[in-house]
Amino acid sequence: MFSIIVPVYNEEENIPELCRRLTSVMEALCAVATGSPDRYEVILVDDGSRDQTWPLIEEFHRKDKRIKGVSFSRNFGHHIAITAGLDHAKGQTIVLMDGDLQDRPEEIPGLWQRLQEGYDLIYGIRKVKKDTIAKRLNSFLFWWFLNRFSGVAIPRDQTLLRIFDRKILEVLTSMRERSRFIHGMMAWTGFRIALHEVEHAPRARGVSKYNMIKLFRLAFNAITSFSTFPLRLATYLGLMSSGVGFFYALYFVYKKIFMDIPVPGFASTIVAVMVMGGVQLLMLGIIGEYLGRVYQEVQARPIYVLKEQLLD
Ligand code: UDP
Ligand code: MG
């Protein structure tokens, strides 16, 4: 009936509390929703952890078969771990959440209640943000750009915590692109969505498993998989600079012919060369970014490699 998907990477300190809280919440919810406290599964996706995360998952699975797990052969990344969870989920109603207890299991019944009002997907939206000013500005620009240019409406301030119907899972699992940005992919599927405010806790234990490089990669994935606007930028910049160049040239011809003022050239030449050289390299880089992604898609490697599974 319910599948709860949790990506975990080096979260040994959080797994015991996560399993305990999820079990008590889900037993109560399932008893109300289905009449039996056992009709749920928790799929912990171990994204190549190097600590005791997997042995802990094995131990919990031995004691409680409702807690399941798959593990990757190495670290593939948050959104790919979510994908693996979606691929293995059997439930009719799916819940996604992070494994560091920032998404609180106690919010699941509230989300489920909203889902019953006739929606297909309920996003958990954080009301209070506990981020620094710099991170907030970053995320504001990121979401603004995506919403402006991606052609899909991606609700802002969403947490990973969300609940949705199996039909959205079917669409998501049929999307096999390699650069995966789950928030965009879910917005792309459409259907009837609603937002639900949730409490967003500070990370329970340990440190963030995202570093600058991973964040940048995610932002690039997000933009390139949902917008081709950066590619069109070349056209706009080219049109603009040739327009400016054309009128500038006219102006110099006029000065020379009608006013007989000589045209000194050094500074303006250097500026033009530098600016145009920069713009051309930038555009080459952007094209390269898309080309690299096309190359990876053409290679058609599997998105992830499983090491172990505990799904029975
Ligand atoms: N995570 C993952 N693979 C990664 C990085 C993170 O599976 O390469 C998991 C992590 O264990 C956590 C969730 O993704 O359950 C969110 O990561 P984190 O809390 O570190 O990110 P933040 O909340 O700081 O953005
Ligand atoms: Mg977190």
Side-chain angles (χ1 to χ4, degrees):
M1 172 78 192
F2 288 95
S3 296
I4 294 100
I5 296 169
V6 192
V8 283
Y9 177 49
N10 294 341
E11 301 284 8
E12 58 182 6
E13 304 122 304
N14 290 319
I15 294 217
E17 185 181 341
L18 176 74
C19 289
R20 185 174 53 71
R21 280 166 63 182
L22 264 178
T23 303
S24 78
V25 166
M26 288 315 295
E27 280 185 347
L29 177 59
C30 281
V32 173
T34 70
S36 150
D38 296 324
R39 298 190 55 196
Y40 73 93
E41 60 177 1
V42 176
I43 302 182
L44 296 159
V45 184
D46 174 12
D47 187 7
S49 301
R50 270 162 300 199
D51 62 359
Q52 293 301 302
T53 296
W54 184 250
L56 271 172
I57 294 174
E58 284 179 322
E59 190 188 317
F60 275 98
H61 177 74
R62 245 191 327 272
K63 283 186 283 191
D64 180 351
K65 295 288 179 231
R66 297 169 299 189
I67 294 176
K68 302 176 183 182
V70 293
S71 75
F72 284 173
S73 60
R74 62 169 171 84
N75 182 235
F76 278 88
H78 188 197
H79 290 223
I80 294 184
I82 296 168
T83 304
L86 293 170
D87 288 344
H88 292 94
K90 298 198 189 69
Q92 200 54 45
T93 305
I94 319 292
V95 177
L96 295 186
M97 62 186 289
D98 277 342
D100 57 356
L101 294 165
Q102 287 198 272
D103 296 330
R104 298 170 60 246
E106 291 73 24
E107 302 280 359
I108 296 175
L111 289 166
W112 180 75
Q113 210 95 70
R114 281 307 293 284
L115 196 71
Q116 297 316 104
E117 292 169 15
Y119 295 103
D120 299 308
L121 164 61
I122 310 290
Y123 288 101
I125 303 289
R126 349 178 240 177
K127 27 185 175 186
V128 187
K129 286 191 257 182
K130 299 183 178 97
D131 294 331
T132 58
I133 300 276
K135 194 167 176 189
R136 272 192 228 183
L137 181 71
N138 263 347
S139 78
F140 174 79
L141 289 175
F142 175 72
W143 288 113
W144 178 85
F145 183 90
L146 268 186
N147 277 313
R148 182 75 182 69
F149 295 112
S150 65
V152 289
I154 307 174
R156 291 189 46 202
D157 299 334
Q158 54 178 273
T159 59
L160 183 63
L161 182 62
R162 63 199 57 199
I163 190 167
F164 50 94
D165 192 81
R166 186 165 187 92
K167 62 189 172 206
I168 293 184
L169 175 136
E170 311 275 350
V171 182
L172 288 174
T173 50
S174 74
M175 296 163 82
R176 302 315 288 177
E177 63 234 54
R178 295 182 44 81
S179 36
R180 303 183 81 80
F181 176 57
I182 295 287
H183 305 286
M185 292 165 67
M186 295 202 79
W188 182 88
T189 61
F191 293 108
R192 287 161 299 178
I193 66 152
L195 312 180
H196 183 73
E197 279 195 351
V198 294
E199 197 98 41
H200 198 59
R203 182 174 247 283
R205 288 175 205 87
V207 294
S208 174
K209 304 303 181 305
Y210 263 95
N211 52 31
M212 255 342 218
I213 296 174
K214 279 186 186 175
L215 267 182
F216 263 112
R217 201 180 298 152
L218 183 68
F220 269 118
N221 278 349
I223 290 167
T224 53
S225 29
F226 286 93
S227 167
T228 50
F229 175 77
L231 284 173
R232 246 173 300 141
L233 213 59
T235 319
Y236 299 143
L237 287 175
L239 277 177
M240 238 164 59
S241 71
S242 37
V244 169
F246 178 70
F247 287 108
Y248 207 44
L250 278 187
Y251 167 68
F252 280 127
V253 169
Y254 173 80
K255 256 170 87 166
K256 182 84 183 94
I257 295 179
F258 296 100
M259 295 158 78
D260 203 22
I261 301 172
V263 183
F266 181 71
S268 52
T269 311
I270 292 296
V271 168
V273 166
M274 300 269 282
V275 169
M276 285 320 296
V279 167
Q280 283 174 5
L281 280 180
L282 174 73
M283 288 318 305
L284 213 56
I286 291 177
I287 295 174
E289 202 59 56
Y290 281 86
L291 184 65
R293 270 154 231 275
V294 173
Y295 177 59
Q296 284 183 343
E297 294 295 346
V298 170
Q299 285 180 314
R301 294 182 187 162
I303 297 172
Y304 53 83
V305 180
L306 289 186
K307 187 163 72 180
E308 285 175 81
Q309 1 188 337
L310 296 170
L311 292 167
D312 46 316

